[in-house]
Amino acid sequence: MSDISVIYPCYNRLYYTQITLPQVINECRNSKHNIFLYIIDDMSSDGTKEFIESIPINECLNENYQVIRKKVGNSTDQINEVLSISSNVDYIIKVDNDTLIPDGCFDIAIKLIHKYTTYGFLGFGLWPRNHFPFIFDEISLVDSEFIGGIGIFRKSVFDELGPIPKRKKYFGFGKYQKKAKEIGWGIAWINGIRIMDLDESAAFSHINHYKEKGFSRNNIGEINSIFYPINK
């Protein structure tokens, strides 16, 4: 068994948290690995705090969780926050509160990153908003330059490189992954695990950045797009 820290950040958007947090809790509970869930509430003011307090997390996870309610910041800050208090773990999994995940995806991702020891970052692929997330019968890895902020990350990469330097644009995690690749760590999408982004604006927010990195949309016209590496 592996030891894993799961990061679930939220800031307002209560309607997403009501859908996705119970799903993430259930995924942690059903895993065969030792999982500790960090729920990071970045001082929400829309009832998120009260909702988190109302659900029986302890009954599901037997105290293997912590609610962090303070101004932490963006995706980079969230990862660094958990890294600072997760010294004895093998991997980090991060799932945003606007993301639907398929049942069983955590253990599949853990199995893959444990098997492919030269990979430091494995990402989950986005699925269009009108399709429910699922897992394909065949799972493989597709090498990439970066995989964004949703997926599973090898803790030893962070031990080697240190905290993620904060940047104003794109939170600095893409550049961090590039640095990891330069020193020999592999980066890949998990081809076969499809997640769904509930935030219909997210796919457009970094569209030029994806194009610059060699990605293209395969379903023009859909707001939430799947990105595939070109010439793969």
Side-chain angles (χ1 to χ4, degrees), residues 61-80:
L61 300 183
N62 298 318
E63 299 185 354
N64 291 315
Y65 77 100
Q66 179 180 349
V67 178
I68 300 172
R69 180 170 164 78
K70 67 177 184 179
K71 291 301 293 183
V72 174
N74 61 34
S75 182
T76 295
D77 300 317
Q78 295 154 8
I79 296 171
N80 284 339

Side-chain angles (χ1 to χ4, degrees), residues 108-128:
I108 290 175
I110 295 165
K111 181 179 179 180
L112 286 170
I113 201 167
H114 184 74
K115 178 180 179 180
Y116 296 101
T117 58
T118 60
Y119 282 82
F121 305 90
L122 301 181
F124 304 149
L126 284 176
W127 197 244

Side-chain angles (χ1 to χ4, degrees), residues 12 14 17-18 21 41 44-57 67 69:
N12 291 328
L14 171 61
T17 300
Q18 291 172 326
L21 179 55
D41 177 11
S44 299
S45 58
D46 64 345
T48 293
K49 174 181 179 290
E50 291 75 16
F51 171 72
I52 293 172
E53 292 173 345
S54 73
I55 56 179
I57 306 175
V67 178
R69 180 170 164 78

Side-chain angles (χ1 to χ4, degrees), residues 7 18 27 29 34 36 38 42 63 88-89 93 98 103 116 125 130 134 174 197 206:
I7 305 172
Q18 291 172 326
E27 189 71 11
R29 180 182 65 177
N34 298 319
F36 195 96
Y38 291 94
D42 205 45
E63 299 185 354
N88 297 316
V89 298
I93 292 176
D98 60 0
D103 292 343
Y116 296 101
N130 58 345
F134 65 93
D197 196 330
H206 301 317

Side-chain angles (χ1 to χ4, degrees), residues 103-187:
D103 292 343
C105 68
F106 282 5
D107 278 6
I108 290 175
I110 295 165
K111 181 179 179 180
L112 286 170
I113 201 167
H114 184 74
K115 178 180 179 180
Y116 296 101
T117 58
T118 60
Y119 282 82
F121 305 90
L122 301 181
F124 304 149
L126 284 176
W127 197 244
R129 194 168 185 246
N130 58 345
H131 290 78
F132 197 78
F134 65 93
I135 297 174
F136 287 85
D137 290 335
E138 295 187 11
I139 307 290
S140 61
L141 299 184
V142 179
D143 286 333
S144 180
E145 291 299 314
F146 78 112
I147 51 88
I150 300 176
I152 185 167
F153 320 131
R154 191 179 300 275
K155 173 63 162 50
S156 58
V157 178
F158 298 98
D159 293 337
E160 185 174 357
L161 293 178
I164 308 167
K166 189 171 182 177
R167 296 176 67 208
K168 185 176 181 180
K169 196 174 184 181
Y170 307 122
F171 310 136
F173 199 29
K175 187 174 182 180
Y176 190 86
Q177 291 173 26
K178 181 179 178 180
K179 185 177 180 181
K181 193 163 189 176
E182 288 173 351
I183 62 173
W185 288 106
I187 301 172

